[in-house]
Amino acid sequence: MTTKRDFVKTITATIASLLLAGVAQADPVAQLSYDYDPAIRTPVPIPQSERHLQAATAELWFSVPGGGRTLEGACLDKAGNLFFTDTTEQRVLKLTPDKKLTVLAKFKDFKPAGMAIDKSGRLFVAAMDLPHQKGVVLSMNPDGSDIKTELAASAGYVPDDLVFDKAGNFYFADFRGLSSVGSGGVYYFDRASKKVTTILPNMAKANGIALSPDGKTLWVTEYARNKLHRVELQDATHIMPVGSTTAYYFTGPAPDSMRIDADGNLYVAMHRQGRFLVFDPVGLPIGQILIPGRDQGQYMRSTSMVVDPQSKDCWLLAGDGDEGTRAAIFRSKALAHGFNLNR
């Protein structure tokens, strides 16, 4: 007579045999397969979490002669002249609205990076000597004359970018550190007293920097840790008690320079991704601008952009760096007009 226990044992053994037979007959390749679609077969695929964002593709506006190089520091004057830096050749350049290119200055000891224009129209240039971990902030007339040192190398910083506040002083990003060593940061420079005040210490290669239209929110990208910081200011040199947050964590090659529009939207260059991410005023991703050729590995060093205060036109800088033959300025549309708190 079959007992209940024997029946359970028989059923259990049968089920186990069927499961083992199924595993033995299953195709091991099929079990391990996953989609290898075109969207992930590009040199730098757009992360899954950002593919749904609305996207615009920029158009080529001007090819910078001289082959592969890295461009930085895009800014516009009131006449619509575009100023930018060529870090590869250590130059500051000017491009007129009718596309006439002029070299304004060439540096010997430092590579120019981020730039900003003050109320008087002078260009301020953050310039670095990365091998020796030092840097300066220089200023010059719009024609490249009368170069002056604003922040000397002896101060011990490696300035990568800067932004003016309404008082005419500026915040700058210190590009020191490693992903595991936060020796850089964000600082405030008072031009009258030459005093430097620490705002955000212990950062790993602070890079892009921007101020909201009301001057109350400071944005910073942390290149070596893939972070976007949102800082609510109590005044020029003090953060609100709960005002410092990490608004976003980036995926893949790192965030570079930033610009802001009149509505407070933020545009972040994604270095080595050939694109720019767009964030709303609280730091939520809402769009992206793609550089043509990125799917073929071209113009991947997207580094800087600027939005025209008189329109929604924006100019974006990208190139191949030392790895290719291209460097160019692209044009697209921003969500709102450009904005400069200092102007």
Side-chain angles (χ1 to χ4, degrees), residues 65-84:
R69 58 197 61 245
T70 299
L71 309 178
E72 279 273 13
C75 53
L76 289 167
D77 67 9
K78 295 177 181 178
N81 295 304
L82 176 66
F83 297 87
F84 61 99

Side-chain angles (χ1 to χ4, degrees), residues 72-94:
E72 279 273 13
C75 53
L76 289 167
D77 67 9
K78 295 177 181 178
N81 295 304
L82 176 66
F83 297 87
F84 61 99
T85 62
D86 172 0
T87 64
T88 306
E89 295 293 332
Q90 301 182 197
R91 305 181 299 174
V92 177
L93 301 102
K94 170 186 173 183

Side-chain angles (χ1 to χ4, degrees), residues 5 21 73 97 100 145 151 171 186 193 207 218 250 255 262 292 303 322-323 330 337:
R5 179 176 294 177
K100 293 181 180 179
S145 64
L151 178 68
Y171 297 90
V186 174
S193 66
N207 196 328
L218 180 69
F250 298 94
T303 54
D322 299 331
E323 302 158 2
F330 295 83
H337 288 64

Side-chain angles (χ1 to χ4, degrees), residues 49-50 52-54 217 219 228-230 245-250 258 261 263-268 276-288 335:
S49 61
E50 295 168 356
H52 70 285
L53 297 174
Q54 60 178 328
T217 303
W219 295 92
L228 173 63
H229 296 267
R230 183 176 186 270
T245 58
T246 300
Y248 196 75
Y249 289 89
F250 298 94
M258 294 187 293
D261 68 23
D263 287 352
N265 300 307
L266 192 69
Y267 302 77
V268 181
F276 294 74
L277 277 172
V278 186
F279 296 84
D280 75 359
V282 298
L284 297 174
I286 56 175
Q288 56 189 321
L335 297 175

